[in-house]
Each structure stands twice: as structure tokens, then as C-alpha cells.
Amino acid sequence: AMNTNMFENFAVQENIERLVLRGYSIVQPVEGELACGGCGGGRLAPLDVIFAEAKSLLSPQTELKGIRLLVTAGPTREAIDPVRYLTNYSSGKMGYAVAQAAVEQGAGVTLVSGPVTLPAPAGVKIVQVTTAQEMYAAVLSLYPQMDVVVKAAAVADYRPARVQETKIKKDGEMILSLVRTPDILAELGKYKQNQVLVGFASETDNLRENALAKLFPKNLEMIVANDLTEDGAGFNTDTNVVKLYFKDGQEKQLARMSKLAVAREIISEIKRIMNIAKEIS
Ligand code: C5P
């Protein structure tokens, strides 16, 4: 942990990279209030994160060894002109926590991430994307090699019909014409072989109805639903309150807990689904 300016200094970053190459594990600092009174990256990671990392290094879990899991996280950005874009409040925290929880259990994890400021969890392969179309291309090309896909990203549903080449000047009322982006998860549902597909539903109303209206048409095994109006849930918080809905009709409400704890519950449900699938086949 240290001041942002020191942490972001090229020399420090280069030394961290060198340590990673030598096989050291790094618990990355987080963003927040710093000892000097400022705010930024460099703050000591939460103790439960340091503890979990140390624990998994000392007694690595191997239950998901050999399993390839793809997780998407963060928002997408859809350009309007060279200086403006459409996006949403997603911080990426939930998806990054899922990547961390899966790597803790020995899975081979690929994280396809929209633009966020979070550091990738140690041992995770990261693919950076910006737009929904880029996320679509990255996820679809990796899909055939995957056993599990968790789609935690808040993909923009619309993008401007055309990107202006030069900066739009202000001049009275403006109407922006939007077109749909591809529904990545629905595509994955269509071409599913044996993959376990997990989606997210962030809603402001009719949680159950809206979650189930995604679970079945998108051909998912499980959907993680959160009510954005609830305290300690949703975008940009460190905690979440979610309800899990399963293909077989089961439902499971989780208490308010850290996003890492929610992620570990999700991974444990995925393991249960995979064991069931094994028993049937
Ligand atoms: O339909 P809705 O956008 O609410 O569905 C949410 C789920 O679908 C999330 O898992 C999200 O990552 C995924 N999704 C997607 N591509 C889109 C829109 C949503 O993969 N264009």
C-alpha cells in the first residue's frame, strides 16, 4: 500500500511486473481514501482479500482444475463522436470477483473486460475490450474452448447508429439515433454445446419476473439477479444482495455480503451444476 503517485510511478510498476515474472503473487491495492487525505489507487486491499489470497497460496484448491471458465466484466463504451460515448455505471467489481473466486479453485480463467480501473486478479488471463461488438467478437471466438461462461458485464444494449468523425458542435436540440448491439449471452445460448451459462440481471423492478424472462430465452443454467434499488446492492458498491434462479426452478436468496463472498457462492453453485450434469451423462 502506498500513495497513488508512488504506486503509479513507472519504476514501481516495472518492479511489480518483474516480481510477477519471477513467480511472486501480488495482492493489488484498491482505490479509496489514502493516509495523506487524498483519494485514489494505492490503498491497502481489504484484509479478507489479503487473507483469502494468502490462504489459497498456502493450500491451493484444485476442485476446478482443468475447467476453463470465461467471465466478462465491466461496462462497454459506444462512441458518439471522437470525444463522447454512451456507457453505464458498472464498475466491473462483481465480474472481477467471480474471476478471483474461480482462480482460487484452480480453474483456468479468462476475463474479458470492458474499460474499468481494477487490477486483474493474479493468475487470470485478461482480454481488454471497449465496445459491445468487440466483446461479442472476443467472447464468441473463445466460447468453443470454454466449460463455463459467466456474463457479469453490463453490455450497452444500444449504440449510436453512426459514429461522427468530427466532434459534434452544439446547436439547439439534438436527436441521437441508436441501434441495437448484439445480445452476446443470447448468442451463446443458441450455440451452447456442454457449457454452463450464467447470466446477470440488474433490475429496478419486478426482479423475479425479469430474471426468469432472461433465464429461459437465453438458455442459461443460472441467473444472478440483483435489485438495484436495494441498499448495498448493484453497481459500484463493494457488497451485493442477490437472488439466484436456476433452470430447474430452484431459487436461492443470498444475504448482503461482499462481492467476493457472492462470487464464491456463485462458483460453488456452478460446481454443483457441473456435478449434476456429470451424474446425468
Ligand atoms: O437482457 P439483459 O441485458 O438485462 O440481460 C443481462 C444479461 O445478458 C447479462 O448477463 C449480460 O452480460 C448479458 N448481455 C449480453 N449482451 C447484451 C446485453 C446483455 O451478453 N447485449
Side-chain angles (χ1 to χ4, degrees), residues 7-274:
F7 180 64
E8 288 177 354
N9 185 281
F10 182 66
V12 172
Q13 288 302 320
E14 204 181 45
N15 283 331
I16 291 176
E17 238 167 71
R18 195 169 297 159
L19 289 172
V20 171
L21 284 176
R22 287 183 194 168
Y24 285 84
S25 293
I26 309 289
V27 181
Q28 292 284 352
V30 295
E31 303 233 334
E33 212 176 294
L34 302 168
C36 62
C39 202
R43 188 180 155 85
L44 185 73
L47 296 186
D48 66 333
V49 172
I50 300 176
F51 178 74
E53 191 98 5
K55 195 172 151 209
S56 81
L57 285 172
L58 290 170
S59 54
Q61 300 264 334
T62 51
E63 274 188 72
L64 287 180
K65 208 171 161 54
I67 297 297
R68 292 148 306 174
L69 182 141
L70 186 151
V71 51
T72 69
T76 64
R77 255 180 212 172
E78 312 300 329
I80 298 171
D81 70 8
V83 293
R84 303 179 179 99
Y85 54 81
L86 294 177
T87 191
N88 55 65
Y89 289 115
S90 170
S91 62
K93 286 177 184 167
M94 195 59 243
Y96 275 59
V98 171
Q100 154 115 27
V103 88
E104 273 175 16
Q105 305 261 322
V109 182
T110 306
L111 174 60
V112 177
S113 176
V116 297
T117 52
L118 301 171
V124 166
K125 184 179 166 219
I126 186 139
V127 179
Q128 309 271 9
V129 297
T130 304
T131 64
Q133 189 59 43
E134 284 170 16
M135 185 173 279
Y136 176 86
V139 170
L140 266 285
S141 78
L142 291 164
Y143 191 40
Q145 313 150 29
M146 294 295 157
D147 302 299
V148 182
V149 179
V150 180
K151 281 233 72 241
V155 186
D157 292 317
Y158 290 89
R159 64 174 171 80
R162 69 187 192 96
V163 182
Q164 304 278 340
E165 274 171 31
T166 52
K167 187 180 166 192
I168 302 169
K169 301 289 181 292
K170 50 182 168 295
D171 178 23
E173 184 182 339
M174 188 178 98
I175 293 171
L176 198 57
S177 181
L178 303 177
V179 293
R180 285 293 305 268
T181 56
D183 190 323
I184 306 167
L185 193 50
E187 281 298 290
L188 300 184
K190 256 189 244 164
Y191 301 116
K192 183 155 77 174
Q193 304 272 319
N194 297 310
Q195 290 94 340
V196 171
L197 282 187
V198 178
F200 274 69
S202 296
E203 305 294 338
T204 54
D205 53 272
N206 299 329
L207 190 66
R208 183 170 194 277
E209 200 183 321
N210 283 318
L212 295 182
K214 285 164 198 173
L215 179 72
F216 295 105
K218 297 195 191 201
N219 197 12
L220 312 178
E221 271 61 44
M222 170 168 85
I223 192 150
V224 182
N226 64 339
D227 182 343
L228 294 174
T229 63
E230 204 158 333
D231 253 4
F235 293 153
N236 240 321
T237 56
D238 286 318
T239 57
N240 214 350
V241 189
V242 306
K243 186 154 184 178
L244 309 176
Y245 294 91
F246 299 89
K247 186 163 91 170
D248 63 5
Q250 284 190 59
E251 299 179 9
K252 188 173 178 182
Q253 175 72 55
L254 301 184
R256 181 154 76 96
M257 54 180 85
S258 73
K259 285 189 172 169
L260 186 55
V262 172
R264 291 194 181 124
E265 292 280 343
I266 292 171
I267 293 298
S268 116
E269 292 300 335
I270 290 173
K271 280 195 295 194
R272 189 178 62 80
I273 292 168
M274 292 178 84

